[in-house]
Amino acid sequence: MSVVKEKELQVAALKNGTAIDHIPSEQLFKVVSLLEVEKITTPVTIGYNLDSKKMGKKGILKIADKFFEEDEINRISLIAPCVKLNIIRNYQVVEKKLVSLPDELLGLVKCNNPKCITNNEPMKTRFKVIDKETVTLQCHYCEMKTKKEDIVLL
Amino acid sequence: MKKDSFVSIADCSKESIVRIIQKTEFFEQNPNQKLLEGMICASLFFEPSTRTRLSFETAVNRLRGRVIGFSDAATTSSSKGETLKDTIKMVSNYADVIIMRHYLEGAARYASEITDIPIINAGDGANQHPSQTMLDMYSIFKTQRKLEDLTITMAGDLKYGRTVHSLLTGMSHFNPTFHLVAPEELKLPDIYKQFLDKQAIRYFEHTDFSPEVINESDILYMTRVQRERFTDLMEYEKVKNVYVLNNKMLDASKDNLRILHPLPRVNEIAYDVDDNPKAYYFEQAKNGVFARQAIICEVLGIN
């Protein structure tokens, strides 16, 4: 097997759309579900367990003709904070973005307090991100704080 | 009319706290006012709390308002599975203000988001009980004639005691010094210590309820170790009698020291303290009606 062959793209190139790279393999399908990829009607390539020099194994998502809004994409920052976004137009990367944690998370995280109103009423949860560095959240309703390792997604 | 719910003491600015305290003082001197004439106040107690309910309903009655409501959710549609949202929406059609007590944490905040009439939180689970905080702060103001620069000792259950957490938050505007006396198991949670650090408020933690701490204090805030907050009853038995205040311990205390307690007490204050002029807990409870009159007027924008 030649060296050239090794360098071949692991996933087909995208003409127009968004390529999300460096997704930790174990988080890939969570990212897929958070971005509601199943509702997208344009072609989507999902790469799983691809070789990565930096990460060992990684996941990639390439979504044709889709350009995410900031708050849409920031949802994934909770589980995959180092993800890189490439905006592609005519096979060229025209913009690179890093995801960042928003100030508030709506309907995304479960409150771990069983006596919280959000676990007892048909309603959306709401969290304030009170520390972006350590990823500490506070429930807007019961005011209980949740540390990164205790975060449970809905 | 301005609509402004009263859900958490953390939402209250220094100005609004001072304004409510001034109003409370006014109602103590003039309790019977026709300020709520023609108005209906809903008193929704999804969890029974006789003391708080009677205090709020007395406040409404002294202001000549009318009260509708219930004192136990067992008799309402919520026992049939009606959501809180539906109950609040329905009652909002009838009343000018809702006073609510709920066993779930965050219930009052949620209610305030689904209705246009003001919500007064009369306790949401273990979370907030801001009208208690206002009467505590009024009691401090009344006995010390100021709120600024006081040394406040809190003893007992600092972990689960929501009155402690709210009082820390409320007093944080007034440059206090706190002594926090609690057993290891019931120490103030880290998040409140971080809050105090952030506000640059001086606090000292003690496990020993020593005369030195008492003698430095302007206010001694005693709390009950609440049985219902424990999942492990063995743990409760171990800590329930740790800090008991008796009259002898007050011998060298400051003249202006006053002892507060949110009540009910069990045995954390010995009965021989009751006759000491520094015991203030019964008068403190009486201030509850005036503070609640002030809160109702504040949320309804009545001056």
Side-chain angles (χ1 to χ4, degrees):
Chain A
M1 210 180 271
S2 72
V3 180
V4 179
K5 188 123 186 139
E6 289 268 312
K7 275 192 164 178
E8 243 175 40
L9 276 180
Q10 298 186 78
V11 179
L14 193 63
K15 188 178 178 195
N16 288 304
T18 305
I20 306 173
D21 201 355
H22 295 111
I23 306 170
S25 262
E26 63 278 12
Q27 304 289 9
L28 176 72
F29 292 100
K30 271 194 198 156
V31 171
V32 167
S33 113
L34 278 180
L35 294 178
E36 299 183 314
V37 173
E38 72 277 10
K39 290 185 186 158
I40 292 173
T41 52
T42 55
V44 177
T45 313
I46 299 177
Y48 182 46
N49 285 339
L50 305 181
D51 291 327
S52 160
K53 271 188 208 146
K54 271 192 217 157
M55 313 170 65
K57 296 282 180 199
K58 68 171 182 182
I60 282 187
L61 263 178
K62 291 193 175 186
I63 304 160
D65 304 317
K66 171 83 184 169
F67 303 96
F68 290 96
E69 296 294 327
E70 205 88 344
D71 58 327
E72 252 180 313
I73 204 74
N74 284 341
R75 293 160 70 95
I76 66 173
S77 60
L78 261 185
I79 54 163
C82 300
V83 155
K84 283 197 188 80
L85 249 81
N86 295 306
I87 314 297
I88 295 167
R89 291 189 201 274
N90 204 17
Y91 297 108
Q92 299 294 314
V93 177
V94 293
E95 197 184 342
K96 278 179 184 282
K97 277 189 197 168
L98 286 172
V99 296
S100 70
L101 206 54
D103 296 327
E104 199 171 69
L105 301 166
L106 209 60
L108 200 61
V109 176
K110 183 180 154 50
C111 184
N112 292 331
N113 175 6
K115 282 187 71 196
C116 176
I117 187 76
T118 59
N119 287 315
N120 294 273
E121 281 264 317
M123 61 186 284
K124 271 191 177 166
T125 65
R126 190 168 155 192
F127 282 86
K128 279 174 270 191
V129 179
I130 52 171
D131 192 329
K132 288 194 182 188
E133 221 150 272
T134 59
V135 191
T136 309
L137 313 180
Q138 183 175 27
C139 176
H140 166 74
Y141 294 100
C142 76
E143 304 183 23
M144 200 180 88
K145 293 181 185 174
T146 304
K147 285 188 232 155
K148 188 182 181 187
E149 54 272 26
D150 300 324
I151 292 173
V152 179
L153 296 179
L154 280 169
Chain B
M1 205 178 280
K2 179 176 84 96
K3 181 233 154 166
D4 205 356
S5 287
F6 187 73
V7 170
S8 169
I9 201 74
D11 300 341
C12 296
S13 63
K14 183 176 178 176
E15 293 69 39
S16 75
I17 290 173
V18 169
R19 197 165 52 235
I20 293 171
I21 284 181
Q22 285 166 349
K23 280 183 184 159
T24 305
E25 192 170 36
F26 169 80
F27 286 121
E28 178 166 18
Q29 285 148 13
N30 319 274
N32 295 311
Q33 299 287 326
K34 292 180 179 173
L35 294 169
L36 293 186
E37 205 148 56
M39 285 198 180
I40 293 179
C41 304
S43 158
L44 311 185
F45 278 63
F46 294 87
E47 153 186 88
S49 171
T50 311
R51 186 189 310 271
T52 305
R53 186 173 59 84
L54 292 181
S55 170
F56 265 114
E57 293 182 5
T58 305
V60 175
N61 279 298
R62 289 222 179 268
L63 297 169
R64 298 287 183 273
R66 299 277 186 138
V67 180
I68 58 165
F70 49 84
S71 55
D72 186 349
T75 60
T76 71
S77 290
S78 65
S79 68
K80 300 175 193 162
E82 186 181 55
T83 60
L84 176 63
K85 180 179 180 178
D86 290 12
T87 308
I88 295 295
K89 284 274 187 205
M90 186 262 306
V91 174
S92 301
N93 294 329
Y94 308 152
D96 299 290
V97 56
I98 292 175
I99 298 155
M100 66 177 277
R101 168 86 158 217
H102 204 284
Y103 49 89
L104 291 173
E105 285 133 38
R109 172 82 61 203
Y110 178 54
S112 74
E113 290 171 358
I114 53 187
T115 177
D116 291 328
I117 69 168
I119 298 283
I120 296 174
N121 186 3
D124 59 328
N127 185 30
Q128 295 288 334
H129 191 10
S131 66
Q132 176 71 45
T133 312
M134 284 316 309
L135 84 88
D136 289 344
M137 290 184 70
Y138 179 66
S139 300
I140 293 172
F141 172 75
K142 200 178 146 191
T143 58
Q144 308 296 324
R145 294 318 302 170
K146 63 172 187 173
L147 287 171
E148 305 275 354
D149 312 319
L150 295 170
T151 299
I152 299 170
T153 295
M154 301 194 177
D157 175 4
L158 306 188
K159 184 177 178 187
Y160 299 101
R162 65 179 172 192
T163 56
V164 168
H165 306 157
S166 299
L167 189 57
L168 282 176
T169 311
M171 286 304 293
S172 69
H173 300 288
F174 302 96
N175 189 37
T177 301
F178 289 115
H179 288 286
L180 308 169
V181 184
E184 213 41 58
E185 296 90 333
L186 295 176
K187 272 171 66 177
L188 189 74
D190 284 344
I191 53 161
Y192 290 100
K193 283 187 233 167
Q194 285 158 12
F195 167 78
L196 293 174
D197 287 335
K198 221 170 163 180
Q199 311 282 316
I201 291 168
R202 286 170 306 281
Y203 66 93
F204 306 93
E205 293 188 275
H206 314 265
T207 48
D208 197 15
F209 195 19
S210 68
E212 291 75 43
V213 170
I214 295 172
N215 297 346
E216 257 184 52
S217 307
D218 301 308
I219 289 289
L220 179 51
Y221 195 88
M222 299 292 298
T223 62
R224 176 168 61 105
V225 174
Q226 295 191 63
R227 193 167 187 264
E228 58 263 36
R229 301 276 175 241
F230 283 80
T231 43
D232 183 356
L233 285 183
M234 284 284 285
E235 198 67 26
Y236 168 72
E237 291 299 324
K238 260 194 340 208
V239 298
K240 69 173 184 185
N241 294 329
V242 180
Y243 301 113
V244 178
L245 179 71
N246 62 51
N247 210 15
K248 189 108 193 60
M249 293 159 81
L250 299 169
D251 282 352
S253 61
K254 286 167 129 180
D255 289 341
N256 66 315
L257 172 80
R258 290 295 176 273
I259 301 148
L260 305 188
H261 189 300
L263 300 183
R265 93 173 131 175
V266 184
N267 58 356
E268 55 280 359
I269 303 177
Y271 286 95
D272 65 0
V273 181
D274 293 1
D275 297 326
N276 191 316
K278 292 173 185 172
Y280 192 73
Y281 28 93
F282 295 120
E283 283 126 301
Q284 179 189 358
K286 193 175 128 195
N287 292 334
V289 172
F290 312 129
R292 288 173 176 120
Q293 285 180 282
I295 291 164
I296 294 165
C297 290
E298 173 80 6
V299 300
L300 287 168
I302 299 169
N303 289 312

